[in-house]
Each structure stands twice: as C-alpha cells, then as structure tokens.
Amino acid sequence: MLVCMANDMNESTYDVIVLGGGPAGLQAALTLGRVHRRVLLLDSQSYRNDPATHLHNFLTHDGTPPSELRAAARAELAAYATVAVRDLPATAVRAVGTGFHVDAGGEAISARGLVLATGLRDLLPDKPGLAELFGDVAVHCPFCHGHELAGRPVAILGAGPRAAHLVGLIAPIASRITVLTDGAPDDVPAGVDVRREPVTGLCRTAAGARVSFDGGPDEEVAGVFVSTELSQAAPFAEQLGLTMLPSGCVEVDAMGRTSLAGVHAAGDLAHQASLPGPLASVLSAAAAGQVAAGSLAAYLG
Ligand SMILES: Cc1cc2nc3c(=O)[nH]c(=O)nc-3n(C[C@H](O)[C@H](O)[C@H](O)COP(=O)(O)OP(=O)(O)OC[C@H]3O[C@@H](n4cnc5c(N)ncnc54)[C@H](O)[C@@H]3O)c2cc1C
C-alpha cells in the first residue's frame, strides 16, 4: 500500500533504495535527499522501540514518543522532491549487474545502491508475564529507562557479567537492587540483594511489577532490567552474502560500507568489528544513517 510518497518520480531505477524507516533509514534518506539523489525508502512499520511510549537520551527529543520523531522526520523528507517513502515491506534483495533489485509489493524495484537499515529484534527471556511489561516496567537499557525508576527498588533478571555491569550503572539511580539469579549459579556483585529461586512469573502492579518465585515470597519492584537476545529483523544481509560479526550484526567500516560494494548499512543491525555490538540508540542510529548515506552518495557519484 502506498501511504506516503513525497514525489511520484516515474523512474524505473533509483539511485538508492533505503530499507527501513527507523532513525537510521530516515536520516539516510534525508542525507541523500539533500544532495538530490533519487531515493526510495521502504518501511514495514515495525520498529525496535515499538514497546516504548517515549524515547530518552537524545538531546532535544528526551521524552518524545518514537512515533512523533518518525512523523517529524517524514514531514521533513516530504520537502525533498527526489525522496519517496512507501509503507511497504521488502521481501527479497539481490545484486543484478552493477546494481540491485528489491522485491516489494509484487514489483522488482531497481537501484544503483542500497542502505540497509532494517534493525534488530529482541527475544525476551521465556518468563510468563514478561512480554506484557517490556518497554516500561521491564527494560533493557539504563540509559533509555533508568532515570524513570529513580529512587525506587529495581530487580535485574539474570546473574553473570551482564548483571554486574548493570549493577554498576544502576546503583546511583535505584533505592535498592535485587539480582534474580533465576536458579543459575551465583555470580553476584557484593552489596546487592539476591534472590536465587527460579522466577516463575511477573505481573504488572500499580507500583511496577510483582515477581513470583518457585518458593519464597513475591518481590515487589518498580522495574526489572532484562537482557534480550538480538537477531536481524530482515534477511537481506544473508541474501546478499554480507560479512557478519559474532554479534550477529553486519560488519561495516567507519563509513558504513559493508563487504559488498554499493551496499551500506546503518543502525542497530550493523557495527564495526572493533566493537562487541551495535551502539544501539536512536541518536547513534541516525548518526550512522547519515554517515552511510553520505559515503554511498560519494561512491555512486
Ligand atoms: C523497548 C525499547 C526501548 C528503547 N528506548 C530507547 C530510548 O529511549 N532511547 C534510545 O536512544 N534508544 C532506545 N532504544 C533503542 C532504539 O530503539 C534503537 O537503537 C533504534 O530504534 C535503532 O534504529 P534503527 O533505525 O536501526 O532500527 P529500527 O528503529 O528498529 O527500524 C528498523 C526499520 O526497518 C524496517 N524494516 C524491517 N524489515 C523490513 C522489511 N523487510 N522491509 C522494509 N522495512 C523493514 C522497520 O519497519 C523499521 O522501519 C530502545 C529499544 C527498545 C527495544
């Protein structure tokens, strides 16, 4: 379905197809539009921060609903006659000659270059009730959600190095931290409370969440920090045979170039090999989108 198209260009070949309409893809389209490249942005409208009502840690946008940020970005794109935005999922991507074909809406759309910005998806620990809490009470990132839990008790689900890392970050914010080892062997930093019984479920309360255990009393907390498993939201990196990193992300260089000439990548789905994982934030994704798009414009000429 064509929902928003800045300009009907009647062009059979775009300079660049941007796959993804989150912060990385929207900024990439803006950067390319500023230098009058013919751009098609495809967006399946499924965003990583969909569970969150507000985004934080982005100067001038701290506390903005993510949908408002995207709407403002699309309004800005509408001013650029060479940029088209379609709310349409791409289904396949392939290299053809010196360019690329993208299958979407029953058509094979061609472009000289691609920006992959399809992001990652989160798989939550398999605990009853947890999914319903994800995004406000159950959270994954202290920079995104920590301040909203200030002065209140929080739990960290899971032990190990990640829990130790979170304890260090959250300690100045929370009134009390309880590590829920969920039956795993202890590896808990000193100075925090510990519950060692397996967690059997979580449910929303007026003050946050009630955590239930296999034995022992329930625990009332304002928030629960969780670690999620990340996976690519779309199969395009695999379809193009791009070099991947141990994190499951696409390898890019400092300019957002992937292992395939003409394909640049930005946002959560990609990072440089020197990092253990992506710099997963709205601002970082937008910055990466700008770099990847600028370098692609230079490459395509
Ligand atoms: C619950 C939660 C809360 C968060 N809160 C914050 C916060 O407060 N502050 C912050 O800085 N960061 C926050 N983040 C992280 C932030 O959401 C991501 O870092 C950011 O969204 C990454 O942007 P992106 O453009 O790479 O991917 P996304 O925003 O996930 O966008 C991916 C885009 O690709 C599209 N797409 C996927 N597959 C296809 C396809 N086949 N065809 C076409 N389009 C496709 C999607 O529809 C979407 O438009 C949060 C994350 C989560 C999970």
Side-chain angles (χ1 to χ4, degrees):
M1 179 178 54
L2 178 63
V3 171
C4 162
M5 197 155 182
N7 178 38
D8 189 354
M9 288 174 277
N10 293 319
E11 294 282 354
S12 56
T13 299
Y14 291 91
D15 290 320
V16 178
I17 295 177
V18 176
L19 293 156
L26 289 164
Q27 176 61 54
L30 178 61
T31 299
L32 290 159
R34 299 263 330 143
V35 288
H36 293 204
R37 274 19 181 212
R38 287 164 297 133
V39 178
L40 173 64
L41 182 150
L42 295 173
D43 185 354
S44 62
Q45 295 187 289
S46 171
Y47 311 98
R48 185 166 174 217
N49 56 6
D50 274 339
T53 54
H54 297 83
L55 70 88
H56 295 100
N57 198 26
F58 184 162
L59 80 171
T60 73
H61 292 293
D62 196 38
T64 300
S67 57
E68 265 183 33
L69 186 83
R70 290 191 295 268
R74 283 185 176 219
E76 288 172 0
L77 289 179
Y80 295 88
T82 63
V83 178
V85 177
R86 287 192 198 184
D87 287 329
L88 193 65
T91 52
V93 172
R94 59 197 169 280
V96 177
T98 56
F100 303 92
H101 280 182
V102 175
D103 293 342
E107 300 173 61
I109 311 168
S110 54
R112 298 163 60 218
L114 300 176
V115 175
L116 301 186
T118 44
L120 297 175
R121 289 296 167 263
D122 294 272
L123 181 65
L124 288 165
D126 185 15
K127 293 293 173 194
L130 183 57
E132 192 269 320
L133 301 176
F134 189 53
D136 59 352
V137 172
V139 296
H140 74 298
C141 164
F143 297 102
C144 304
H145 308 281
H147 174 74
E148 284 61 46
L149 299 167
R152 297 191 285 157
V154 303
I156 297 171
L157 179 57
R162 164 83 176 151
H165 175 68
L166 281 171
V167 166
L169 284 171
I170 301 164
I173 308 172
S175 61
R176 178 166 56 89
I177 299 174
T178 307
V179 173
L180 315 175
T181 69
D182 195 25
D186 274 5
D187 184 11
V188 175
V192 297
D193 294 344
V194 186
R195 292 291 301 266
R196 297 186 170 82
E197 313 93 310
V199 172
T200 54
L202 304 94
C203 67
R204 189 178 290 274
T205 63
R210 179 177 305 119
V211 187
S212 309
F213 300 88
D214 184 8
D218 292 349
E219 189 88 24
E220 304 279 345
V221 290
V224 182
F225 282 85
V226 295
S227 299
T228 66
E229 254 178 60
L230 296 170
S231 60
Q232 291 285 321
F236 308 132
E238 194 184 344
Q239 290 173 2
L240 291 165
L242 302 182
T243 300
M244 305 298 284
L245 293 163
S247 64
C249 291
V250 177
E251 181 175 358
V252 287
D253 68 9
M255 302 310 289
R257 292 178 284 225
T258 72
S259 54
L260 185 60
V263 180
H264 291 207
D268 282 4
L269 89 168
H271 62 90
Q272 294 181 58
S274 56
L275 299 173
L279 298 170
S281 80
V282 174
L283 186 54
S284 302
Q290 185 187 63
V291 170
S295 62
L296 184 56
Y299 169 76
L300 294 174

